[in-house]
Each structure stands twice: as structure tokens, then as C-alpha cells.
């Protein structure tokens, strides 16, 4: 399939939005490949995403943006248009556990991930060789209780240096400082190894074993200042029984963590996730 | 939520369809509650469904239809508009097994099914009392090898008498005559107790046991002249193991059959299923 | 399949238990149809369940029990043996919502449920006609803030009158008094409409919508004095999206509630659930 | 957990097997960590698997085997005992697609796979660098229509040289010669990218798209002379819709293929799969 523009809009709902937007796209010759709408009737908010074939447009992106701005003001829209030929730059944060990191690197290497992995930052050095096989720069930034402020200053410097658009906590095991959560709001994606809101915080599989649940899960969410409480992008579960030890749960859970994180990240990279309050609208293909 | 019109369209794809349709709806004051598009890039066909709030329209249905016909001709559309206040009339066909029939009757009784059950036709008399408790007319039309033509003539007469819009084979266990399949094309829904195209025909659970599969399923599909080969609306599966006997498979399978049929029928009743060739586009909410 | 005895054992783990039990069964001529073991290595506890073909035994139940008591003492066992020809008696508690009640009554009517429904107790009269169609005695016992003690005294009287072995809260919507929870420990089964421990208490679908989860679930558990915190028997989930309203969640959730409750109850009726502390061992076939 | 012996038995069913086996294990001081039985009542065949803690035994493996042989003869058993400290040697066969190969190598590297990867044989050279990063010998054996006999002679030589116990076709895309299927019966595991028996042979996702199914799947099975018809070990599915192209199906399918193959292989490596006729008994933990 050819490259596309992605036009993403949210605004107060009213009659005529769809017609005006469709009319505008049509005038530019735009061939709509995918379109999704959603009205949240509980708060009167409207969400919309279009994929428009680049080759079909009779104007360039700047001209589109200039023209659309007027219409956007009229409907009080929050909006942006992105280009699938300018994929988002991804900074992966890791620790010692490799399953999520290896999974994302492999997907990227196989051209499955619609983004560009620009660097890995890790607070341990264990995964350096694996990362370097993929020819991705690896930065070892240890985080200790004493060095936390300096470590995160260094970390933010690296992110800025690579102009990363999104930070993925691929089992990073460190809590980001509140200021960093605010600075990168909507740009930091975490994978938590439980079906949130159950089992917030440390050792969720131990918590799950203690409670005797019959399914365990994983949750991909945006990071906010409140631990494990940000907007949820994607979740999934897997069945367990009394016969599974905590080690079995960790093993089974890894498969869920990997796929949930990969799906959630994919949605983000394709601008399919619209955050509103503490919830998300996810326009899955 | 208020009552809605459902505008359902399919046509050759081209630039401007969305804009023209949205413009038309907007001019009539129509507030779009739900909108779905799909372009099948393999054959250049476009599919579209809108839910429009009835109360928001500044014209009646006849006026809408008259105006829209012109636009429809222009884009070579197959289309219709339906009214959620005129729910489809359902004829349920059954045999001796009650699980699908009981499930649908209960959903309808609890106002969960967006349609009206107008009659039950059964080739055995066993389920009469259950059906009559729901105050639904029960017609016992036995089908024997000798009586098949007369039986189906009688059956079609009943369907016509109640002006049924859709026939649901709720484990009916009889093969409809080819002419009836043609006459009611796209209006007869069957539940087959396997994950089609595996295990077509009789005794699918026995076939599944013989093959040693690890999941069993059910398939809701439109009936055509070719047995168990019509367009698929919905499918699902459930896990089994070596420890399950064929009786266990039947028991577990019943739960899948019920939910798959209820979901598939719901999609049909809300005009969410667009048939194209031998495949369906299902615009799930 | 023929009728079976179910021998259910839990005790401290040690070498020789399996051999001694198997030897005892073998001496009585018992043909073992199904056998399950589990050792909880975290606390050294052993769990075991056998299904023994009744017709294969060369002694009656009393003789078996007398002989086995000696062996049981030796290994410090908690144990019992039950007879599938003496199915458990079930009291169903309901309110106004019919989906779980109708589902269980229908399964029982179709001989799918390995137990005997002896009565329904409801705090509203709405479901009387449906229950009476199944020829099950219906007792309307209203519960109001003022009448709670008398209402539950009356309720316990009814349970005693029918000699019910298990109470099923089929969306009963009332909290049982603490003393009743203690008196019927391990004999009261509830269905909670969330994936516990998430969303304890009232209106779990509203809580789920508020948090923006991507899956909703249901949990079948034993009732204890602590609300929604008793040992979990069975759980399942279903996928939702931003497009589902709370009414959609209720509709989708009902299907999960029904199947989770039916599965959990089935396990209990077949003596497949062994409670230990606040967790369960479920020996699923 | 400590290392274990795995005692795996199948034989005609009769009273006393369990007692005799348990008695024998108990006399050797064996602490049973996991035990599974199954009787196939359709053909009177009995299946059994024990995990016995190595450290608990008062005899060595040779002594156990010598003693058990007598008992085995008495009950006409097919049986073996394996040692978790002597893990099976795995030969991975691959082509150009890396997802299954990379997944298994990573699991093995992280000590998740209870076996030892001894070599990779590939009919293309593309994946050499990836395999060599894992320090696994990589053998490029091209297969062309003309060279097939020589290529497979070379391939068998390699398998023999590494004394591989199991061959995994990790999207190998070549059909093994009939003689090789016979020689390695029960030792060659394939992943087929459909929910068998649907869509046997080439391009199953194209076949699935053509038929319009709503779920796609993957099947892990033993290879026999009949293409895609050997005993099934494990299967799973994932939901698709009309909006998914064949490329989307391939992408979604890869995740199912990986996990189904990894699960199936794990069962095989832990001697949890008992083949009987064309079906399997899988004693999942």
C-alpha cells in the first residue's frame, strides 16, 4: 500500500463536522483509505481519524495544513496531520530482562514496526551485545537511589540528542521523575505485568498468586505521575491454574507482555490512540 | 439512546463518496451517531454504514430516500435506509435441541435483541411448551423424506403469513431446498457447530474428535445452496483437551453456538452485515 | 458413562500417599476413571481427587468409608467421598435480573447441570412465572433495610427446609449477613460482574468505564464475610473498546457472567473445587 | 525446583495399574511432584505420566529401569523414563522467515526452553548472522527440485552428527521426503499457519481470506508422510475482520505461530505429549 497522511481530530461534537472535513479532503483530491469516527455521548466529545493516500493529493502538506487550520478553528478542533513516510523515532528503555526489548527489536528489524528505533537506554549493561547486533546505539545509564537526579538528567539528554518522539519502558523497572512524566505527557509508554487496575506496583505476579486469580494479564499504558494509573492503550490475559508456580506465571506472562506492548506501541506509532482525560480512544484497523 | 436511521451503502470506490454522503446528511440536519467505512482494495469496492439520529433530521424518511436516490445513481450505489423503530421480524426454525432457541427467546424477552420474534417453526413438537411460555406462535411442521416438498411449501407459507424478514436456523437440522435458499438469499442465518471450513456436514464434533483438534468452534453464516459454504458472519472457538469426550465437546460447544449465533443475528438485525460475493463486511459497533 | 464415587483428599504432603490410596482403591476393585493430584510446594500441602466407577467396587460406600478412615488418620487427611447418584441440592437466589437464573434453570432442565435445583429465593417477585414454568418452588422474600434480620431468618429457614447443599447468588444483589457467611462457608457461590480484584462492590461496569479498561470480566467465587474477597473458582473476560457504552458493557458482560457462573457451579457440584486458605485448587476435567 | 525423572506410560486399561506404579515409586522413595492419568474410554487405552524428584530416589536410573521392566511386562506397557538433567537436543530447520526461529533461539538463550539447541539447518543463508550471534552452528543446505535427494541426505547427516533428538520445522517451507518422515516418526514438529484441518498446504492466509473466516490460527503438529495431517499437539487462533489485508493476516498470524510452536515444543521437550494413532494426549502442567 502507498504512503498515507493521517489526519487526527478531536473536538466538541456538532452537526456538520464530518461533512466539512470530508468536503475539504475531497477538494484536495484526497483518497480516503481508512476512516474512523467516535462520539463519546457521555461528554459530547467527537474523535476522528483519516488515512489519506499521499499520492492522491493535489497539494502538499503545508498547503493542506494552512487550509485546514481555518476549518479547525471553526469547530474548535485539536488536530494534527502526520506523514507515514516520517515515522516516529523510538527510544527503548530497558533493564536486565530481555523479552520485551528483544521482541521489539526483532519486529523493527523485520520491518514490522511502523517506527524507527533510534537508541536503547538501560540501567544495566547486560543487554548491550544483543542491542548492538541490531546496530542500535546502547547507552548504559545506571540508576541508584543517590544518583537518580543526575541519571535522569543524562537520560533526558540522550532522548533529546536522538530527537526521540516516543519513549518505551520495555520492562525498565525504574519510576520516572514527576517532571519527566509531565514533560513527555502522552509520549511515554509502559508495559505493566498485570491486568490493571489489579496489582499496581511491585511484583504483580506474586500479588496475583496470593489472591488466587485464574487469569493473569498485562497492560500497556501511558505513563503519568501516578504509578500505573495512566490512560490504558491495550490489555490482554492468559489462563493459569493452581498448578502454575510464580515462575510459570512469569513465563506465561512474558508472552502476554510482549504482544500487548507491541500492539499498543503499534497503535501509538500509527496515531491510532487519542487521549482524552485519563482514557483512550483506539482506532484499531 | 434515541432511535436511528441506518444508511447502508456499497459501490465502486472513487474520490468524493464520503464527502457527498456526509454533505447530504448534514443538509438534512442529520446527527451521525456511528459511521463506518471500508474499502476492499483487492477489488476496488467501497462499503459504508451510518447511524443517524432520527430526531435530528429536518425531513422524513420518504424525502430522504427521494433525495438520496439521485446521489446514489451518480455513484452507482447499492443502498438502503432502515429505521430502528421498525425492527426486523424473525422466524426461528428449530428441531429438538433447545439451547439456541431458548437463548434467543430469552434475549428477545429481555429486550436485548433488536428484532421481533414472530413465530417458531419446528419439525418436532418437543419445544412447544417452552415457546408458548414466551407467547410466541409455535408451528409444528414435520419433515420426512417423503413429505419434504409439502413440508417446505407449508413452511414458506408460515414465513409469508408472519411477513418474516429473517429466518434463523437455530439448530434446525434440516437442509432447505435450493429454491428456498435462492428466494431468501441473505435472509437465512444458520449456526454450524464447527469452525468452518473444517468439518462441513453432519456430526462435526465426531469429526473434530477423530482429527484430534485442540479447539472446537461454531460458525454463524448465511445459507446458500452449497451446504455450510455461505458467507460467514461470525465465528468463535473454545479450548478442549484429550480428556474431553464427545459429550463434553457437545456441552462446551453449546455455549459457543449460542453466543456466536446471538452475535451474528444481532449484527444482521442492525444492518451491520454487508454481503459481497461470498464474504461479509461486518461493521461491529 | 456410569455413576462414580468421588474421593477428595487434602493433607500435608509426604511420600507414599498416592501409593496407599491407589492400593486401597485397587483392593476394593475400584476402576479409576479420572485422577488428579496437586502439591502446593509453597506450603507443602497435597490435594487429590479420584473418580471411581461405582459398578467396579466390591464393597458398598459405608464399608469403603470405614476402611479408608484408618488410612486417612495415618496421613492426617481432610477427606470425603461423594456419590454422583446423590447430586447436590441447589438453592438459587435471585433479584430482578434474569440472565443467570434463566441460564442455570435451562441447563438444569436439559440435564446439563450435575445437581438438583430445589428452590428459588428472590427478593422481588418479577421472575416467579419463569421459575414456575420449570416447576421449581419460588419464594419471594423481600429484603429492606428494616427487615433484613427477619428476611434472612426466613431465607435460612427455606434453605433448611429444602436441605440445600449449595446456595447460588445468581445476581442476588444483597449482601448476606456475616453469620450466614460463616454458617455456610464453602457452600455459597457468587458471580461478581468484574475481573476481581478489580472493581469490588457496586456498579463494576461503571468503575470499568471510568478507568478505561480494554477487557471486562466476571468472577465466580465463594462468599466470605469480606465483600467480593472470597476464594476465586473461575474467571473470564471479554474485549471491549471505546465505542461500547455502559449499556453495551452490561450486555456483553451478561454472556461472560452466565458462562463463568455455570462453569464454576459445575466444578463445585462435581466436587472439583478444594478450598485451602483463601485460594482454590480446581481439578477441571 | 529440583531435577526430576519423567516416567511416561501407555497400555491397555485395567484395574491396578495406578496402584502398582505408585507402589513401585513409593518403594524407591520417590516423591511425586506431578502426576497425570487419562483413560481413553473409546478404545480402552490408558496413559500416565509422573514427575519424580530425582533427589528423593533411593536407587539410580538403571536400577529403576531394571525393576520397572518386570511390572511393565505384566501390564503390557509402552514406557520410558527420562531425566530432566539430560535435556533433548534440538535441530531447528528454517528458511528465510525469521520470526519462529528468532523466538525459539531467544527463549533458549533465556533458559526458558527445557532443551538444547544444537544446530540450525536452513535452505537459505539469510539468517546466518542472527543464528551465529547465539553461537549456534548454522548449516546452509540449499534445496532445489534437482538436488532434493542429495540435500536431504546432507541434512540427515547433520542431524545425526549433532545427535539431535527432535527436529523443529520453524517455517522451513520444504516438504520432508517420506522416508525421513518415517525414520523420525514422532520426532519432527511442524508449525502450520492455519487452524488445521482448514487450509492444508500452501498459502493458508490466502485461502483464509478467500473463504472469509473471522479467526485465523496456527497448528503445531508432528510430521507424517501425509501433508499437514499428522497428530496435532497445540493450536490457537486470533480474531480478524474484513479490514485486515493478507499482509495484516500474516503479521497477526506470526504472533500466533510463534507462541503455538513454542508451547507445542515445550510439551514435547518435557515428554508431555503421548501419541496414540493420529491423536495426542498432552499432559499440560
Amino acid at each position: 500500500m502507498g504512503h498515507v497522511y493521517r489526519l487526527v481530530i478531536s473536538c466538541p461534537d456538532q452537526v456538520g463536522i464530518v461533512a466539512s472535513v470530508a468536503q475539504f479532503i475531497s477538494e484536495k483530491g484526497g483518497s480516503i483509505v481508512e476512516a474512523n469516527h467516535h462520539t463519546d455521548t457521555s461528554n459530547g466529545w467527537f474523535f476522528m481519524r483519516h488515512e489519506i493516500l499521499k499520492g492522491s493529493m493535489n497539494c502538499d502538506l503545508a498547503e493542506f495544513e494552512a487550509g485546514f487550520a481555518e476549518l479547525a478553528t471553526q469547530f474548535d478542533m485539536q488536530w494534527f496531520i502526520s506523514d507515514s513516510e516520517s515515522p516516529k523515532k523510538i527510544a527503548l528503555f530497558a533493564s536486565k530482562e530481555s523479552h520485551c526489548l528483544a521482541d521489539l527489536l526483532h519486529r523493527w528489524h523485520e520491518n514490522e514496526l511502523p517506527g524507527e528505533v533510534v537508541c536503547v537506554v538501560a540501567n544495566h549493561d547486560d543487554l548491550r551485545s544483543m542491542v548492538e547486533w541490531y546496530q542500535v546505539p546502547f547507552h548504559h545509564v545506571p540508576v541508584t537511589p543517590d544518583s537518580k537526579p543526575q541519571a535522569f538528567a543524562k537520560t533526558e539528554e540522550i532522548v533529546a540528542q536522538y530527537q526521540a518522539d516516543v519513549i518505551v519502558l520495555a520492562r525498565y523497572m525504574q519510576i520516572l521523575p514527576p517532571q519527566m512524566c509531565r514533560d513527555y505527557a502522552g509520549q511515554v509508554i509502559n508495559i505493566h505485568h498485570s491486568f490493571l487496575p489489579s496489582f499496581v506496583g511491585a511484583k504483580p505476579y506474586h500479588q496475583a498468586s496470593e489472591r488466587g486469580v485464574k487469569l493473569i494479564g498485562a497492560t500497556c499504558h501511558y505513563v503519568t505521575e501516578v504509578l500505573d494509573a495512566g490512560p490504558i492503550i491495550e490489555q490482554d490475559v492468559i489462563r493459569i491454574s493452581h498448578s502454575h508456580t510464580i515462575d510459570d506465571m512469569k513465563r506465561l506472562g512474558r508472552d502476554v507482555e510482549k504482544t500487548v506492548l507491541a500492539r499498543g506501541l503499534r497503535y501509538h506509532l500509527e496515531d491510532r490512540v487519542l487521549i482524552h482525560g485519563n482514557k483512550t480512544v483506539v482506532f484499531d484497523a
Side-chain angles (χ1 to χ4, degrees), chain A:
Chain A
M1 183 177 298
H3 280 284
V4 294
Y5 291 129
R6 303 174 190 124
L7 177 63
V8 181
I9 296 164
S10 64
C11 60
D13 192 27
Q14 60 175 284
V15 170
I17 304 172
V18 179
S20 300
V21 172
Q23 183 62 28
F24 185 91
I25 296 171
S26 177
E27 280 165 11
K28 305 300 180 195
S31 177
I32 297 172
V33 179
E34 188 182 327
N36 291 284
H37 313 182
H38 171 62
T39 306
D40 186 335
T41 52
S42 74
N43 57 22
W45 216 257
F46 180 75
F47 306 86
M48 189 183 224
R49 179 184 181 277
H50 284 92
E51 285 197 2
I52 309 160
L53 217 50
K54 271 181 81 163
S56 69
M57 303 279 285
N58 58 27
C59 69
D60 64 15
L61 196 58
E63 198 181 326
F64 188 103
E65 289 185 311
F68 196 80
E70 199 177 324
L71 195 149
T73 304
Q74 181 187 337
F75 287 101
D76 202 13
M77 293 176 175
Q78 294 173 279
W79 72 285
F80 66 89
I81 185 162
S82 67
D83 180 345
S84 69
E85 275 189 297
S86 303
K88 291 196 206 318
K89 294 185 176 65
I90 307 163
L92 298 173
F93 285 21
S95 180
K96 287 177 164 182
E97 280 193 90
S98 68
H99 58 287
C100 285
L101 187 68
D103 183 71
L104 292 179
L105 287 170
H106 182 261
R107 289 177 196 268
W108 169 67
H109 185 256
E110 299 296 303
N111 298 313
E112 187 188 305
L113 216 58
E116 189 191 342
V117 176
V118 290
C119 66
V120 170
V121 177
N123 61 338
H124 292 277
D125 206 42
D126 307 47
L127 304 176
R128 176 183 295 276
S129 153
M130 188 185 82
V131 172
E132 290 182 345
W133 184 85
Y134 286 100
Q135 300 182 294
V136 169
F138 180 92
H139 295 270
H140 176 204
V141 184
V143 181
T144 63
D146 288 350
S147 73
K148 216 167 160 177
Q150 301 91 309
F152 279 107
K154 175 70 185 161
T155 298
E156 290 198 55
E157 211 174 275
I158 295 167
V159 172
Q161 169 197 341
Y162 289 98
Q163 300 181 288
D165 300 300
V166 54
I167 295 169
V168 178
L169 309 186
R171 298 299 306 267
Y172 178 52
M173 311 306 279
Q174 293 290 328
I175 297 173
L176 299 192
Q179 184 60 48
M180 194 169 172
C181 295
R182 285 191 294 270
D183 290 349
Y184 295 87
Q187 294 172 276
V188 185
I189 291 175
N190 184 44
I191 181 71
H192 183 75
H193 42 311
S194 86
F195 184 72
L196 288 175
S198 291
F199 313 135
V200 164
K203 292 187 176 288
Y205 293 133
H206 287 79
Q207 294 183 53
S209 171
E210 185 67 25
R211 182 60 188 94
V213 291
K214 301 301 184 186
L215 301 167
I216 53 172
T219 303
C220 175
H221 66 98
Y222 289 109
V223 170
T224 61
E225 289 176 68
V226 187
L227 184 65
D228 299 331
I232 293 171
I233 306 171
E234 174 64 347
Q235 302 186 288
D236 215 339
V237 295
I238 193 168
R239 189 162 287 274
I240 57 162
S241 79
H242 59 267
S243 70
H244 291 102
T245 62
I246 286 173
D247 278 347
D248 291 327
M249 291 165 64
K250 287 179 182 173
R251 173 173 54 80
L252 293 165
R254 283 196 292 267
D255 283 348
V256 185
E257 294 166 34
K258 286 188 296 191
T259 49
V260 166
L261 177 55
R263 283 205 297 261
L265 177 57
R266 176 181 197 80
Y267 297 149
H268 178 86
L269 294 173
E270 296 185 344
D271 298 313
R272 296 182 177 282
V273 190
L274 288 72
I275 304 176
H276 196 247
N278 203 43
K279 297 168 65 170
T280 63
V281 169
V282 180
F283 287 130
D284 185 8

